[in-house]
Amino acid sequence: MGDDEAVMAEALEGLERRVLRALAQQGDSDLEVIGSGEISPVLRMRAGGKDYAVKRLPIFSSDAALEAYVESFRAYQAALARAGVPSVSSRIIVATRQGGRPVAYCVQPLLDPTALCVERLRRMQVTPARRFGEQLFDIIASVVSDRLGLDAQLSNWFVRSEAEGRFELGYLDLTTPLMRDDVGREALDTELFLASLPAALRPLVRRFMLRDILANYYDLRSVLRDLLGNLIKESLEAHLDGWLGLANARVTPALSMSEVRSHYAEDARTWALLQRLRRVDRGWQRYVRRRPYGFLLPDSIERRVD
Ligand SMILES: Nc1ncnc2c1ncn2[C@@H]1O[C@H](COP(=O)(O)OP(=O)(O)OP(=O)(O)O)[C@@H](O)[C@H]1O
Ligand SMILES: [Mg+2]
């Protein structure tokens, strides 16, 4: 093990101890949450004088399961790179074991807030925002296919470099590899995603929701609809009108504002319901079964629905 690796291993072990404390108690006050998605929070970690953004993955059932995951994680980044989308440099590192089961984290260098696309757009006037949107949508359109999926929400993109109004964009949300083989089989073990849901809910989601949830990421129209709807969540509605026009230059049938809004509202309701059910499950595990709950929950994601 090199020095860097030893330092990283120690930092992750320390973080995992804090995560376990947070899971045993309530809340995650000991942890510095820098971003909150629907599945798991992104935490800040310091190691060797540098800052990292890390995400704790669901606990893997075996080393083989972890290796399969790492393979799909790498394959996804390679496929994105081939399609012209560089990713932030990311590693999967095992922090510890629970029994024989590896507890792993996705580790990325912490990006400067000013590099995040959400923050960029917040500071843009309508005209540069249009140019920016144009470039973003071109990239998305060139990536998304039946074989390669993308969660293209603005919060998943960052600016690698910028010169004379040309942006080189990078992608950061890599822990759910969205790739299919030629017979339409997902590269990702979808059970891993389901593991974060209450056990009673899994068969239902597996049977009735998973296919549709995943299908949305492989279809340009749905991907852009989702991106547009999310501008509402990010309080970036000022750009919704302009970006809807950009999207409609790339998809048929055209998206209407009411479709974008109603989809966003429906999506927000679905995720809010899932989060509520996960919190109920957590209460059940903690207070009735008297055992720590296995996942950090994004406790209060703001959702704007009107
Ligand atoms: N490397 C990073 N540097 C700085 N901020 C980051 C980094 N990675 C993530 N973030 C912040 O955390 C937010 C959520 O990250 P990300 O999209 O990876 O997770 P997520 O949406 O919670 O994913 P999922 O719900 O699919 O697990 C980002 O939008 C960003 O604000
Ligand atoms: Mg994300």
Side-chain angles (χ1 to χ4, degrees):
M1 207 191 297
D3 275 359
D4 281 0
E5 278 174 69
V7 167
M8 182 61 76
E10 197 182 317
L12 276 172
E13 261 174 57
L15 180 67
E16 174 63 12
R17 275 197 297 276
R18 286 192 286 150
V19 166
L20 288 177
R21 268 205 303 278
L23 290 175
Q25 303 156 4
Q26 292 177 42
D28 38 27
S29 53
D30 207 9
L31 301 167
E32 205 179 329
V33 176
I34 56 170
S36 232
E38 303 294 354
I39 314 280
S40 52
V42 178
L43 307 171
R44 180 193 181 107
M45 182 181 81
R46 219 173 152 72
K50 295 198 190 90
D51 283 317
Y52 296 88
V54 307
K55 212 188 269 181
R56 188 178 192 249
L57 301 172
I59 298 176
F60 293 88
S61 56
S62 64
D63 285 320
L66 170 66
E67 277 157 31
Y69 174 76
V70 171
E71 196 175 308
S72 65
F73 180 80
R74 293 213 179 107
Y76 186 54
Q77 285 173 72
L80 287 178
R82 280 196 299 278
V85 174
S87 326
V88 63
S89 85
S90 313
R91 289 181 286 168
I92 304 294
I93 305 178
V94 176
T96 178
R97 290 175 172 276
Q98 281 185 20
R101 311 190 315 153
V103 181
Y105 283 76
C106 172
V107 180
Q108 301 176 343
L110 184 74
L111 299 165
D112 194 86
T114 58
L116 300 175
C117 285
V118 168
E119 297 312 317
R120 278 299 173 100
L121 187 59
R122 261 188 228 305
R123 284 166 181 73
M124 278 183 208
Q125 303 295 322
V126 173
T127 309
R130 262 190 90 83
R131 241 178 297 138
F132 175 60
E134 195 94 52
Q135 291 170 40
L136 175 62
F137 285 22
D138 277 344
I139 293 183
I140 296 169
S142 71
V143 171
V144 174
S145 74
D146 287 347
R147 304 281 296 269
L148 191 56
L150 207 53
D151 173 354
Q153 301 184 356
L154 198 60
S155 61
N156 294 340
W157 297 93
F158 68 102
V159 177
R160 285 162 56 91
S161 66
E162 180 190 355
E164 289 154 21
R166 294 293 315 165
F167 293 92
E168 198 197 335
L169 298 176
Y171 191 73
L172 61 80
D173 193 348
L174 299 158
T175 49
T176 310
L178 294 162
M179 271 175 97
R180 289 169 173 165
D181 64 15
D182 41 14
V183 294
R185 212 172 21 222
E186 295 289 337
L188 177 73
D189 177 3
T190 48
E191 289 302 311
L192 211 60
F193 164 85
L194 289 168
S196 75
L197 298 174
L201 206 65
R202 276 174 229 155
L204 217 82
V205 175
R206 190 187 288 120
R207 175 125 189 248
F208 298 110
M209 294 173 70
L210 198 57
R211 249 184 83 89
D212 289 347
I213 291 176
L214 288 171
N216 279 328
Y217 299 112
Y218 296 88
D219 170 63
L220 181 62
R221 193 172 180 279
S222 314
V223 167
L224 294 182
R225 184 178 58 198
D226 189 52
L227 191 171
L228 292 170
N230 257 274
L231 294 177
I232 304 170
K233 177 161 149 188
E234 302 287 358
S235 310
L236 288 166
E237 242 183 294
H239 300 288
L240 189 49
D241 222 25
W243 280 26
L244 180 66
L246 300 180
N248 282 333
R250 292 163 176 84
V251 299
T252 40
L255 289 158
S256 69
M257 192 59 92
S258 69
E259 184 185 350
V260 169
R261 284 185 186 281
S262 67
H263 244 273
Y264 170 69
E266 188 190 304
D267 201 55
R269 273 195 298 274
T270 306
W271 285 110
L273 173 65
L274 285 179
Q275 295 304 355
R276 268 202 302 282
L277 291 170
R278 290 174 81 200
R279 279 199 289 275
V280 169
D281 185 41
R282 179 172 65 180
W284 167 261
Q285 303 286 346
R286 275 181 178 158
Y287 303 116
V288 184
R289 307 296 301 273
R290 302 213 167 271
R291 60 185 183 203
Y293 183 66
F295 297 90
L296 296 169
L297 298 184
D299 268 300
S300 53
I301 303 176
E302 266 187 57
R303 288 195 177 73
R304 281 156 220 276
V305 190
D306 45 30

